[in-house]
Amino acid sequence: MNTVVLGKSGIASPQNAFGALPIQRCTEEQAVALVRRAFEGGMTFFDTARAYTTSEERVGKALADVRDQVAIASKTMAETPEGFWRDLETSLRTLGTDYLDLYQLHCVPRCYRPGDGTGMYECLLEARERGLIRHIGITAHLIAVAEEIAESGLYETLQFPFSYLASDREVALVETCARNDVGFIAMKGLAGGLITNAEAAMAFMTRYPNVLPIWGVQRACELEQWLAFMGDTPQVTPQMEAFFASERTQLAGGFCRGCGYCAPCTAGIPVSMDARMSLMIRRAPSQAWLSPEWQEKMNLVEDCTECGVCMTRCPYQLDIPSLLRQNLDDYRAVLAGKVQV
């Protein structure tokens, strides 16, 4: 297992880190047990966020007595200094710590810079000077924004979606970060659930020694698989190369990654699931997605008014209303037996 050093921050971690977004869906007891097991299994980097409801509190409870042995990263979606300080104070309190190893501006629409009039970068500097945070990071979904960040020299880490479905431009972004000594944290290593081959996902990451993937964990069986890879790390083979190529061909183009930033829908449509249903029923046990409950949720697509609000929020600039209609048509064809999955 490769040890990743996150650029100029110097934060070091085994090349498997814990993404704490999904633990907000567990009971508190389950969540605390998962985080603790991850630490005991060798994970030392834990990524959470103010936006992840109960996640911070649960991470804090699990790691309270080993705080000096782990790196905790959190994030703020604030766009004003007032929001920044409010979020940072809340994160420190809920995590039960007096500092964060890494604090990240979350899902940014721009590369915040000193003197840009927002005051956001100055907040990061002040928080670091006061010892409330140790390192400065940022997360993005827009490739052009991420490229600007990677070249700016302002941030110690960049968090960005990265998996074996990555485009050449996204691979180039990883290389830019390596060249500029910016730590690269890979979110969505399973492409929002579309990637179901964990071994292939892990093997791909080993190609990039500067990339630290944070795997979103909700179940003990998932965690055990990532922990097993820390002792027996999969490697890319010619057969796996062919698999990567096949997957990229199948998933090329405008597909929904399920990030959920489009929500809430003005018509109540569960967009992040309905817009990728065609892929889900082909890449996971299909009967679960064909249940009466999901049929009802898919039928909500008919209520789409094409208001366009979801498209203004989508980091991938997808034509969401068209994608919803395409998925609904395909879904109904599967239900009618016209299409086999």
Side-chain angles (χ1 to χ4, degrees):
M1 173 61 63
N2 178 46
T3 295
V4 179
V5 178
L6 287 174
K8 61 181 72 74
S9 78
I11 296 173
S13 168
Q15 196 177 24
N16 263 339
F18 192 97
L21 183 153
I23 64 169
Q24 62 187 315
R25 306 183 191 120
C26 307
T27 67
E28 180 173 299
E29 182 180 7
Q30 291 169 335
V32 170
L34 277 174
V35 175
R36 188 67 184 198
R37 170 62 186 140
F39 167 74
E40 292 169 350
M43 290 186 175
T44 61
F45 186 92
F46 296 83
D47 179 88
T48 182
R50 181 82 296 274
Y52 301 165
T53 62
T54 57
S55 175
E56 287 181 325
E57 182 177 2
R58 293 169 174 192
V59 168
K61 286 183 177 180
L63 301 176
D65 63 331
V66 293
R67 177 66 185 91
D68 60 342
Q69 301 176 52
V70 298
I72 297 178
S74 196
K75 319 180 191 78
T76 174
M77 293 188 75
E79 296 182 339
T80 65
E82 294 78 13
F84 176 97
W85 292 112
R86 183 170 57 249
D87 277 359
L88 179 55
E89 179 183 342
T90 303
S91 290
L92 292 171
R93 184 175 64 253
T94 55
L95 281 160
T97 184
D98 56 3
Y99 72 94
L100 291 171
D101 297 274
L102 176 66
Y103 200 48
Q104 303 157 97
L105 301 181
H106 192 186
C107 194
V108 297
R110 60 190 288 187
C111 174
Y112 288 101
R113 295 175 176 273
D116 65 7
T118 67
M120 295 303 292
Y121 195 80
E122 288 81 355
C123 286
L124 287 168
L125 293 179
E126 182 181 344
R128 187 169 63 183
E129 289 168 4
R130 291 169 55 185
L132 301 176
I133 66 176
R134 293 188 172 176
H135 301 286
I136 290 172
I138 195 165
T139 86
H141 284 79
L142 301 172
I143 184 68
V145 173
E147 289 167 339
E148 183 181 352
I149 290 166
E151 293 284 12
S152 71
L154 296 171
Y155 296 90
E156 295 172 90
T157 66
L158 168 64
Q159 187 172 150
F160 191 79
F162 192 62
S163 70
Y164 65 60
L165 301 177
S167 66
D168 291 343
R169 189 175 178 183
E170 289 162 342
V171 170
L173 174 66
V174 169
E175 294 167 349
T176 298
C177 285
R179 185 172 64 251
N180 293 334
D181 204 20
V182 177
F184 191 99
I185 302 170
M187 60 168 139
K188 298 194 180 300
L190 297 177
L194 296 181
I195 290 175
T196 57
N197 187 326
E199 183 176 356
M202 181 74 252
F204 175 80
M205 294 297 182
T206 64
R207 284 180 158 176
Y208 303 94
N210 66 313
V211 170
L212 178 64
I214 50 172
W215 306 107
V217 175
Q218 184 176 344
R219 299 176 180 86
C221 59
E222 299 166 351
L223 176 60
E224 292 305 323
Q225 189 164 35
W226 299 121
L227 293 179
F229 289 158
M230 295 175 73
D232 185 13
T233 309
Q235 301 297 314
V236 176
T237 63
Q239 293 79 11
M240 204 171 281
E241 290 278 17
F243 175 74
F244 292 158
S246 173
E247 290 277 276
R248 292 185 188 115
T249 298
Q250 181 180 347
L251 294 171
F255 65 90
C256 175
R257 281 80 165 173
C259 69
Y261 289 113
C262 56
C265 170
T266 58
I269 302 167
V271 174
S272 64
M273 292 306 302
D274 286 8
R276 57 182 179 145
M277 185 57 70
S278 291
L279 292 169
M280 297 306 294
I281 59 178
R282 288 166 173 80
R283 302 176 67 82
S286 59
Q287 286 307 309
W289 302 110
L290 299 174
S291 67
E293 177 186 0
W294 273 107
Q295 290 179 45
E296 183 177 341
K297 291 178 180 179
M298 285 300 295
N299 287 336
L300 290 174
V301 171
E302 293 182 336
D303 297 334
C304 177
T305 63
E306 300 192 23
C307 66
V309 173
C310 56
M311 291 192 290
T312 67
R313 299 171 179 157
C314 179
Y316 302 99
Q317 301 174 316
L318 298 176
D319 182 351
I320 294 174
S322 294
L323 201 55
L324 286 170
R325 288 192 299 272
Q326 292 165 15
N327 276 263
L328 179 59
D329 289 346
D330 177 64
Y331 188 78
R332 287 176 170 171
V334 171
L335 285 173
K338 298 176 181 178
V339 174
Q340 298 298 314
V341 294

